[in-house]
Amino acid sequence: AVLPAWDRLKDQASVVDDKEDQLKRFRKALQAKTHYSQLLEQARRSIAEGEGRLIKGDNPTLASVELQTLVEDAAKKVNISLGPRSVTPAKRKDNYFNEISMTLSFEGTPNQMSSMLAELRNSSKFVTVRNLQVSPISTVQEAPPKGDVKKTVRVSLTVAGLLAIPPMAAAAPKQG
């Protein structure tokens, strides 16, 4: 080597390039980590919001009480007097959710029925109408001489709500 100092500097230049590349990769990884932690926090918030829409209850009995309360509150808002009602036990829907349903009937005007359905749709919980039957109570043969016809219908419906399976129960194999 004619110029040893030059050769050492030349070797050091390639080390600097390697260190710069390594630093760029590190910064990129750090930026990705920050991005992923933000995505993870966003996913946690979305999950918490979604779980808030599920029927709560430490057991299916408490969950059925919440579903009944939800339906009864909706009926009170639209001035409907509920008739007989029955709640079915929670049934496993899939690996993550149980479904609890309630069958009920009432008599009212078509407007009350649609208002009741709107209240259920706009409730704070995920609720599904599984079955709906509407029957007229009386039929009108001719138009009344004055005023509006008072239409009354008998409504029978089944409302279902989802409740989460506890994580330990979801991990257990399905028996049956």
Side-chain angles (χ1 to χ4, degrees), residues 76-106:
K76 283 179 190 173
K77 284 183 182 178
V78 295
N79 199 23
I80 291 176
S81 176
L82 294 177
R85 45 194 170 254
S86 65
V87 178
T88 59
K91 295 178 187 170
R92 191 176 187 118
K93 185 169 176 70
D94 57 27
N95 289 337
Y96 306 103
F97 301 105
N98 282 336
E99 185 176 70
I100 194 158
S101 63
M102 175 179 176
T103 302
L104 60 122
S105 62
F106 61 89

PDB file of all heavy atoms in Angstrom, residues 76-106:
ATOM      1  N   LYS A  76     -92.693   0.765  25.561  1.00  0.00           N
ATOM      2  CA  LYS A  76     -93.190   1.905  26.341  1.00  0.00           C
ATOM      3  C   LYS A  76     -93.066   3.205  25.553  1.00  0.00           C
ATOM      4  O   LYS A  76     -93.936   4.065  25.628  1.00  0.00           O
ATOM      5  CB  LYS A  76     -92.423   2.023  27.654  1.00  0.00           C
ATOM      6  CG  LYS A  76     -92.836   1.026  28.697  1.00  0.00           C
ATOM      7  CD  LYS A  76     -92.003   1.193  29.954  1.00  0.00           C
ATOM      8  CE  LYS A  76     -92.253   0.040  30.911  1.00  0.00           C
ATOM      9  NZ  LYS A  76     -91.342   0.075  32.049  1.00  0.00           N
ATOM     10  N   LYS A  77     -91.967   3.343  24.807  1.00  0.00           N
ATOM     11  CA  LYS A  77     -91.746   4.571  24.038  1.00  0.00           C
ATOM     12  C   LYS A  77     -92.831   4.808  22.999  1.00  0.00           C
ATOM     13  O   LYS A  77     -93.135   5.943  22.676  1.00  0.00           O
ATOM     14  CB  LYS A  77     -90.377   4.539  23.344  1.00  0.00           C
ATOM     15  CG  LYS A  77     -89.227   4.790  24.263  1.00  0.00           C
ATOM     16  CD  LYS A  77     -87.930   4.804  23.488  1.00  0.00           C
ATOM     17  CE  LYS A  77     -86.743   5.011  24.401  1.00  0.00           C
ATOM     18  NZ  LYS A  77     -85.479   4.972  23.667  1.00  0.00           N
ATOM     19  N   VAL A  78     -93.374   3.731  22.444  1.00  0.00           N
ATOM     20  CA  VAL A  78     -94.396   3.875  21.396  1.00  0.00           C
ATOM     21  C   VAL A  78     -95.793   3.549  21.919  1.00  0.00           C
ATOM     22  O   VAL A  78     -96.716   3.365  21.136  1.00  0.00           O
ATOM     23  CB  VAL A  78     -94.056   3.023  20.150  1.00  0.00           C
ATOM     24  CG1 VAL A  78     -92.794   3.527  19.493  1.00  0.00           C
ATOM     25  CG2 VAL A  78     -93.933   1.565  20.483  1.00  0.00           C
ATOM     26  N   ASN A  79     -95.925   3.475  23.255  1.00  0.00           N
ATOM     27  CA  ASN A  79     -97.219   3.291  23.903  1.00  0.00           C
ATOM     28  C   ASN A  79     -97.904   1.979  23.498  1.00  0.00           C
ATOM     29  O   ASN A  79     -99.066   1.956  23.117  1.00  0.00           O
ATOM     30  CB  ASN A  79     -98.136   4.485  23.628  1.00  0.00           C
ATOM     31  CG  ASN A  79     -99.271   4.566  24.618  1.00  0.00           C
ATOM     32  OD1 ASN A  79     -99.178   4.041  25.725  1.00  0.00           O
ATOM     33  ND2 ASN A  79    -100.359   5.197  24.217  1.00  0.00           N
ATOM     34  N   ILE A  80     -97.142   0.909  23.576  1.00  0.00           N
ATOM     35  CA  ILE A  80     -97.669  -0.426  23.267  1.00  0.00           C
ATOM     36  C   ILE A  80     -97.697  -1.237  24.554  1.00  0.00           C
ATOM     37  O   ILE A  80     -96.734  -1.235  25.324  1.00  0.00           O
ATOM     38  CB  ILE A  80     -96.788  -1.149  22.220  1.00  0.00           C
ATOM     39  CG1 ILE A  80     -96.915  -0.481  20.866  1.00  0.00           C
ATOM     40  CG2 ILE A  80     -97.157  -2.620  22.122  1.00  0.00           C
ATOM     41  CD1 ILE A  80     -96.003  -1.073  19.809  1.00  0.00           C
ATOM     42  N   SER A  81     -98.793  -1.930  24.753  1.00  0.00           N
ATOM     43  CA  SER A  81     -98.909  -2.834  25.879  1.00  0.00           C
ATOM     44  C   SER A  81     -98.595  -4.242  25.366  1.00  0.00           C
ATOM     45  O   SER A  81     -99.329  -4.783  24.538  1.00  0.00           O
ATOM     46  CB  SER A  81    -100.325  -2.773  26.449  1.00  0.00           C
ATOM     47  OG  SER A  81    -100.459  -3.712  27.479  1.00  0.00           O
ATOM     48  N   LEU A  82     -97.498  -4.803  25.838  1.00  0.00           N
ATOM     49  CA  LEU A  82     -97.077  -6.122  25.361  1.00  0.00           C
ATOM     50  C   LEU A  82     -97.946  -7.216  25.965  1.00  0.00           C
ATOM     51  O   LEU A  82     -98.315  -7.156  27.130  1.00  0.00           O
ATOM     52  CB  LEU A  82     -95.618  -6.385  25.714  1.00  0.00           C
ATOM     53  CG  LEU A  82     -94.586  -5.493  25.029  1.00  0.00           C
ATOM     54  CD1 LEU A  82     -93.196  -5.824  25.536  1.00  0.00           C
ATOM     55  CD2 LEU A  82     -94.650  -5.643  23.530  1.00  0.00           C
ATOM     56  N   GLY A  83     -98.225  -8.208  25.138  1.00  0.00           N
ATOM     57  CA  GLY A  83     -98.965  -9.382  25.589  1.00  0.00           C
ATOM     58  C   GLY A  83     -97.992 -10.420  26.115  1.00  0.00           C
ATOM     59  O   GLY A  83     -96.900 -10.090  26.587  1.00  0.00           O
ATOM     60  N   PRO A  84     -98.364 -11.674  26.010  1.00  0.00           N
ATOM     61  CA  PRO A  84     -97.486 -12.736  26.510  1.00  0.00           C
ATOM     62  C   PRO A  84     -96.143 -12.735  25.772  1.00  0.00           C
ATOM     63  O   PRO A  84     -96.069 -12.425  24.595  1.00  0.00           O
ATOM     64  CB  PRO A  84     -98.266 -14.023  26.226  1.00  0.00           C
ATOM     65  CG  PRO A  84     -99.347 -13.657  25.288  1.00  0.00           C
ATOM     66  CD  PRO A  84     -99.574 -12.194  25.384  1.00  0.00           C
ATOM     67  N   ARG A  85     -95.125 -13.080  26.495  1.00  0.00           N
ATOM     68  CA  ARG A  85     -93.782 -13.137  25.910  1.00  0.00           C
ATOM     69  C   ARG A  85     -93.018 -14.305  26.522  1.00  0.00           C
ATOM     70  O   ARG A  85     -93.248 -14.670  27.665  1.00  0.00           O
ATOM     71  CB  ARG A  85     -93.042 -11.824  26.101  1.00  0.00           C
ATOM     72  CG  ARG A  85     -93.152 -11.241  27.452  1.00  0.00           C
ATOM     73  CD  ARG A  85     -92.690  -9.781  27.484  1.00  0.00           C
ATOM     74  NE  ARG A  85     -93.049  -9.192  28.762  1.00  0.00           N
ATOM     75  CZ  ARG A  85     -94.028  -8.338  28.940  1.00  0.00           C
ATOM     76  NH1 ARG A  85     -94.735  -7.925  27.941  1.00  0.00           N
ATOM     77  NH2 ARG A  85     -94.301  -7.876  30.136  1.00  0.00           N
ATOM     78  N   SER A  86     -92.132 -14.840  25.742  1.00  0.00           N
ATOM     79  CA  SER A  86     -91.308 -15.948  26.227  1.00  0.00           C
ATOM     80  C   SER A  86     -89.891 -15.776  25.717  1.00  0.00           C
ATOM     81  O   SER A  86     -89.668 -15.301  24.608  1.00  0.00           O
ATOM     82  CB  SER A  86     -91.874 -17.292  25.759  1.00  0.00           C
ATOM     83  OG  SER A  86     -91.804 -17.384  24.358  1.00  0.00           O
ATOM     84  N   VAL A  87     -88.946 -16.163  26.552  1.00  0.00           N
ATOM     85  CA  VAL A  87     -87.529 -16.043  26.212  1.00  0.00           C
ATOM     86  C   VAL A  87     -86.968 -17.445  26.063  1.00  0.00           C
ATOM     87  O   VAL A  87     -87.191 -18.307  26.919  1.00  0.00           O
ATOM     88  CB  VAL A  87     -86.766 -15.269  27.306  1.00  0.00           C
ATOM     89  CG1 VAL A  87     -85.292 -15.186  26.976  1.00  0.00           C
ATOM     90  CG2 VAL A  87     -87.348 -13.884  27.475  1.00  0.00           C
ATOM     91  N   THR A  88     -86.253 -17.675  24.977  1.00  0.00           N
ATOM     92  CA  THR A  88     -85.619 -18.979  24.785  1.00  0.00           C
ATOM     93  C   THR A  88     -84.218 -18.940  25.386  1.00  0.00           C
ATOM     94  O   THR A  88     -83.598 -17.872  25.444  1.00  0.00           O
ATOM     95  CB  THR A  88     -85.514 -19.339  23.288  1.00  0.00           C
ATOM     96  OG1 THR A  88     -84.759 -18.325  22.624  1.00  0.00           O
ATOM     97  CG2 THR A  88     -86.883 -19.445  22.650  1.00  0.00           C
ATOM     98  N   PRO A  89     -83.726 -20.062  25.830  1.00  0.00           N
ATOM     99  CA  PRO A  89     -82.370 -20.093  26.381  1.00  0.00           C
ATOM    100  C   PRO A  89     -81.348 -19.722  25.310  1.00  0.00           C
ATOM    101  O   PRO A  89     -81.591 -19.860  24.112  1.00  0.00           O
ATOM    102  CB  PRO A  89     -82.182 -21.548  26.821  1.00  0.00           C
ATOM    103  CG  PRO A  89     -83.511 -22.196  26.738  1.00  0.00           C
ATOM    104  CD  PRO A  89     -84.385 -21.355  25.878  1.00  0.00           C
ATOM    105  N   ALA A  90     -80.210 -19.252  25.761  1.00  0.00           N
ATOM    106  CA  ALA A  90     -79.139 -18.873  24.837  1.00  0.00           C
ATOM    107  C   ALA A  90     -78.683 -20.095  24.050  1.00  0.00           C
ATOM    108  O   ALA A  90     -78.511 -21.180  24.608  1.00  0.00           O
ATOM    109  CB  ALA A  90     -77.975 -18.273  25.600  1.00  0.00           C
ATOM    110  N   LYS A  91     -78.536 -19.899  22.744  1.00  0.00           N
ATOM    111  CA  LYS A  91     -78.050 -20.965  21.864  1.00  0.00           C
ATOM    112  C   LYS A  91     -76.741 -20.523  21.243  1.00  0.00           C
ATOM    113  O   LYS A  91     -76.591 -19.369  20.858  1.00  0.00           O
ATOM    114  CB  LYS A  91     -79.063 -21.238  20.746  1.00  0.00           C
ATOM    115  CG  LYS A  91     -80.375 -21.776  21.237  1.00  0.00           C
ATOM    116  CD  LYS A  91     -81.333 -21.966  20.090  1.00  0.00           C
ATOM    117  CE  LYS A  91     -82.701 -22.348  20.622  1.00  0.00           C
ATOM    118  NZ  LYS A  91     -83.714 -22.316  19.589  1.00  0.00           N
ATOM    119  N   ARG A  92     -75.840 -21.457  21.113  1.00  0.00           N
ATOM    120  CA  ARG A  92     -74.540 -21.140  20.515  1.00  0.00           C
ATOM    121  C   ARG A  92     -74.728 -20.862  19.027  1.00  0.00           C
ATOM    122  O   ARG A  92     -75.220 -21.703  18.290  1.00  0.00           O
ATOM    123  CB  ARG A  92     -73.582 -22.297  20.742  1.00  0.00           C
ATOM    124  CG  ARG A  92     -72.164 -21.970  20.396  1.00  0.00           C
ATOM    125  CD  ARG A  92     -71.268 -23.151  20.746  1.00  0.00           C
ATOM    126  NE  ARG A  92     -69.886 -22.773  20.575  1.00  0.00           N
ATOM    127  CZ  ARG A  92     -68.994 -22.755  21.542  1.00  0.00           C
ATOM    128  NH1 ARG A  92     -69.351 -23.127  22.746  1.00  0.00           N
ATOM    129  NH2 ARG A  92     -67.766 -22.387  21.313  1.00  0.00           N
ATOM    130  N   LYS A  93     -74.341 -19.667  18.604  1.00  0.00           N
ATOM    131  CA  LYS A  93     -74.464 -19.271  17.199  1.00  0.00           C
ATOM    132  C   LYS A  93     -73.218 -19.673  16.420  1.00  0.00           C
ATOM    133  O   LYS A  93     -73.298 -20.183  15.322  1.00  0.00           O
ATOM    134  CB  LYS A  93     -74.695 -17.766  17.108  1.00  0.00           C
ATOM    135  CG  LYS A  93     -74.949 -17.271  15.719  1.00  0.00           C
ATOM    136  CD  LYS A  93     -75.432 -15.834  15.752  1.00  0.00           C
ATOM    137  CE  LYS A  93     -75.600 -15.267  14.381  1.00  0.00           C
ATOM    138  NZ  LYS A  93     -76.700 -15.815  13.655  1.00  0.00           N
ATOM    139  N   ASP A  94     -72.052 -19.408  16.986  1.00  0.00           N
ATOM    140  CA  ASP A  94     -70.773 -19.802  16.391  1.00  0.00           C
ATOM    141  C   ASP A  94     -69.740 -19.877  17.519  1.00  0.00           C
ATOM    142  O   ASP A  94     -70.118 -19.936  18.684  1.00  0.00           O
ATOM    143  CB  ASP A  94     -70.348 -18.827  15.270  1.00  0.00           C
ATOM    144  CG  ASP A  94     -70.253 -17.381  15.726  1.00  0.00           C
ATOM    145  OD1 ASP A  94     -69.995 -17.133  16.928  1.00  0.00           O
ATOM    146  OD2 ASP A  94     -70.435 -16.483  14.891  1.00  0.00           O
ATOM    147  N   ASN A  95     -68.469 -19.833  17.180  1.00  0.00           N
ATOM    148  CA  ASN A  95     -67.434 -19.969  18.208  1.00  0.00           C
ATOM    149  C   ASN A  95     -67.305 -18.752  19.108  1.00  0.00           C
ATOM    150  O   ASN A  95     -66.614 -18.812  20.123  1.00  0.00           O
ATOM    151  CB  ASN A  95     -66.075 -20.249  17.555  1.00  0.00           C
ATOM    152  CG  ASN A  95     -66.012 -21.640  16.968  1.00  0.00           C
ATOM    153  OD1 ASN A  95     -66.754 -22.532  17.386  1.00  0.00           O
ATOM    154  ND2 ASN A  95     -65.143 -21.841  16.003  1.00  0.00           N
ATOM    155  N   TYR A  96     -67.933 -17.637  18.740  1.00  0.00           N
ATOM    156  CA  TYR A  96     -67.739 -16.408  19.489  1.00  0.00           C
ATOM    157  C   TYR A  96     -69.007 -15.853  20.136  1.00  0.00           C
ATOM    158  O   TYR A  96     -68.917 -15.057  21.057  1.00  0.00           O
ATOM    159  CB  TYR A  96     -67.144 -15.327  18.567  1.00  0.00           C
ATOM    160  CG  TYR A  96     -65.886 -15.803  17.899  1.00  0.00           C
ATOM    161  CD1 TYR A  96     -65.896 -16.213  16.570  1.00  0.00           C
ATOM    162  CD2 TYR A  96     -64.692 -15.880  18.600  1.00  0.00           C
ATOM    163  CE1 TYR A  96     -64.737 -16.662  15.955  1.00  0.00           C
ATOM    164  CE2 TYR A  96     -63.541 -16.334  17.995  1.00  0.00           C
ATOM    165  CZ  TYR A  96     -63.562 -16.722  16.676  1.00  0.00           C
ATOM    166  OH  TYR A  96     -62.432 -17.173  16.073  1.00  0.00           O
ATOM    167  N   PHE A  97     -70.174 -16.245  19.623  1.00  0.00           N
ATOM    168  CA  PHE A  97     -71.411 -15.632  20.088  1.00  0.00           C
ATOM    169  C   PHE A  97     -72.482 -16.662  20.414  1.00  0.00           C
ATOM    170  O   PHE A  97     -72.582 -17.694  19.766  1.00  0.00           O
ATOM    171  CB  PHE A  97     -71.990 -14.683  19.027  1.00  0.00           C
ATOM    172  CG  PHE A  97     -71.063 -13.571  18.649  1.00  0.00           C
ATOM    173  CD1 PHE A  97     -70.389 -13.597  17.449  1.00  0.00           C
ATOM    174  CD2 PHE A  97     -70.854 -12.510  19.507  1.00  0.00           C
ATOM    175  CE1 PHE A  97     -69.530 -12.580  17.098  1.00  0.00           C
ATOM    176  CE2 PHE A  97     -70.001 -11.480  19.168  1.00  0.00           C
ATOM    177  CZ  PHE A  97     -69.338 -11.519  17.964  1.00  0.00           C
ATOM    178  N   ASN A  98     -73.279 -16.310  21.423  1.00  0.00           N
ATOM    179  CA  ASN A  98     -74.523 -17.010  21.718  1.00  0.00           C
ATOM    180  C   ASN A  98     -75.646 -16.091  21.264  1.00  0.00           C
ATOM    181  O   ASN A  98     -75.471 -14.875  21.207  1.00  0.00           O
ATOM    182  CB  ASN A  98     -74.674 -17.262  23.221  1.00  0.00           C
ATOM    183  CG  ASN A  98     -73.836 -18.424  23.697  1.00  0.00           C
ATOM    184  OD1 ASN A  98     -73.486 -19.305  22.938  1.00  0.00           O
ATOM    185  ND2 ASN A  98     -73.503 -18.412  24.978  1.00  0.00           N
ATOM    186  N   GLU A  99     -76.786 -16.680  20.945  1.00  0.00           N
ATOM    187  CA  GLU A  99     -77.935 -15.882  20.556  1.00  0.00           C
ATOM    188  C   GLU A  99     -79.077 -16.182  21.510  1.00  0.00           C
ATOM    189  O   GLU A  99     -79.366 -17.332  21.804  1.00  0.00           O
ATOM    190  CB  GLU A  99     -78.347 -16.197  19.118  1.00  0.00           C
ATOM    191  CG  GLU A  99     -79.470 -15.320  18.618  1.00  0.00           C
ATOM    192  CD  GLU A  99     -79.806 -15.583  17.182  1.00  0.00           C
ATOM    193  OE1 GLU A  99     -80.367 -16.668  16.901  1.00  0.00           O
ATOM    194  OE2 GLU A  99     -79.499 -14.725  16.340  1.00  0.00           O
ATOM    195  N   ILE A 100     -79.691 -15.144  21.996  1.00  0.00           N
ATOM    196  CA  ILE A 100     -80.825 -15.283  22.891  1.00  0.00           C
ATOM    197  C   ILE A 100     -82.011 -14.625  22.198  1.00  0.00           C
ATOM    198  O   ILE A 100     -81.853 -13.603  21.543  1.00  0.00           O
ATOM    199  CB  ILE A 100     -80.507 -14.637  24.256  1.00  0.00           C
ATOM    200  CG1 ILE A 100     -81.511 -15.057  25.279  1.00  0.00           C
ATOM    201  CG2 ILE A 100     -80.377 -13.153  24.177  1.00  0.00           C
ATOM    202  CD1 ILE A 100     -81.003 -14.911  26.683  1.00  0.00           C
ATOM    203  N   SER A 101     -83.180 -15.252  22.264  1.00  0.00           N
ATOM    204  CA  SER A 101     -84.334 -14.689  21.556  1.00  0.00           C
ATOM    205  C   SER A 101     -85.549 -14.596  22.466  1.00  0.00           C
ATOM    206  O   SER A 101     -85.650 -15.289  23.476  1.00  0.00           O
ATOM    207  CB  SER A 101     -84.652 -15.511  20.309  1.00  0.00           C
ATOM    208  OG  SER A 101     -85.015 -16.817  20.655  1.00  0.00           O
ATOM    209  N   MET A 102     -86.439 -13.715  22.052  1.00  0.00           N
ATOM    210  CA  MET A 102     -87.646 -13.452  22.826  1.00  0.00           C
ATOM    211  C   MET A 102     -88.806 -13.354  21.848  1.00  0.00           C
ATOM    212  O   MET A 102     -88.735 -12.633  20.859  1.00  0.00           O
ATOM    213  CB  MET A 102     -87.476 -12.136  23.582  1.00  0.00           C
ATOM    214  CG  MET A 102     -88.680 -11.669  24.324  1.00  0.00           C
ATOM    215  SD  MET A 102     -88.252 -10.118  25.169  1.00  0.00           S
ATOM    216  CE  MET A 102     -89.824  -9.717  25.842  1.00  0.00           C
ATOM    217  N   THR A 103     -89.866 -14.104  22.106  1.00  0.00           N
ATOM    218  CA  THR A 103     -91.068 -14.054  21.279  1.00  0.00           C
ATOM    219  C   THR A 103     -92.133 -13.287  22.064  1.00  0.00           C
ATOM    220  O   THR A 103     -92.320 -13.535  23.253  1.00  0.00           O
ATOM    221  CB  THR A 103     -91.561 -15.472  20.950  1.00  0.00           C
ATOM    222  OG1 THR A 103     -90.501 -16.167  20.278  1.00  0.00           O
ATOM    223  CG2 THR A 103     -92.784 -15.441  20.063  1.00  0.00           C
ATOM    224  N   LEU A 104     -92.786 -12.355  21.395  1.00  0.00           N
ATOM    225  CA  LEU A 104     -93.785 -11.536  22.063  1.00  0.00           C
ATOM    226  C   LEU A 104     -94.913 -11.202  21.096  1.00  0.00           C
ATOM    227  O   LEU A 104     -94.788 -11.396  19.883  1.00  0.00           O
ATOM    228  CB  LEU A 104     -93.164 -10.245  22.595  1.00  0.00           C
ATOM    229  CG  LEU A 104     -92.529  -9.336  21.555  1.00  0.00           C
ATOM    230  CD1 LEU A 104     -93.183  -7.978  21.588  1.00  0.00           C
ATOM    231  CD2 LEU A 104     -91.048  -9.212  21.875  1.00  0.00           C
ATOM    232  N   SER A 105     -96.001 -10.712  21.641  1.00  0.00           N
ATOM    233  CA  SER A 105     -97.116 -10.293  20.798  1.00  0.00           C
ATOM    234  C   SER A 105     -97.755  -9.066  21.416  1.00  0.00           C
ATOM    235  O   SER A 105     -97.644  -8.825  22.622  1.00  0.00           O
ATOM    236  CB  SER A 105     -98.137 -11.424  20.645  1.00  0.00           C
ATOM    237  OG  SER A 105     -98.680 -11.749  21.897  1.00  0.00           O
ATOM    238  N   PHE A 106     -98.402  -8.288  20.560  1.00  0.00           N
ATOM    239  CA  PHE A 106     -99.115  -7.104  21.014  1.00  0.00           C
ATOM    240  C   PHE A 106    -100.142  -6.710  19.965  1.00  0.00           C
ATOM    241  O   PHE A 106    -100.104  -7.183  18.835  1.00  0.00           O
ATOM    242  CB  PHE A 106     -98.159  -5.934  21.298  1.00  0.00           C
ATOM    243  CG  PHE A 106     -97.372  -5.459  20.110  1.00  0.00           C
ATOM    244  CD1 PHE A 106     -97.878  -4.472  19.264  1.00  0.00           C
ATOM    245  CD2 PHE A 106     -96.113  -5.969  19.849  1.00  0.00           C
ATOM    246  CE1 PHE A 106     -97.139  -4.023  18.181  1.00  0.00           C
ATOM    247  CE2 PHE A 106     -95.377  -5.529  18.765  1.00  0.00           C
ATOM    248  CZ  PHE A 106     -95.888  -4.553  17.925  1.00  0.00           C
TER     249      PHE A 106
END
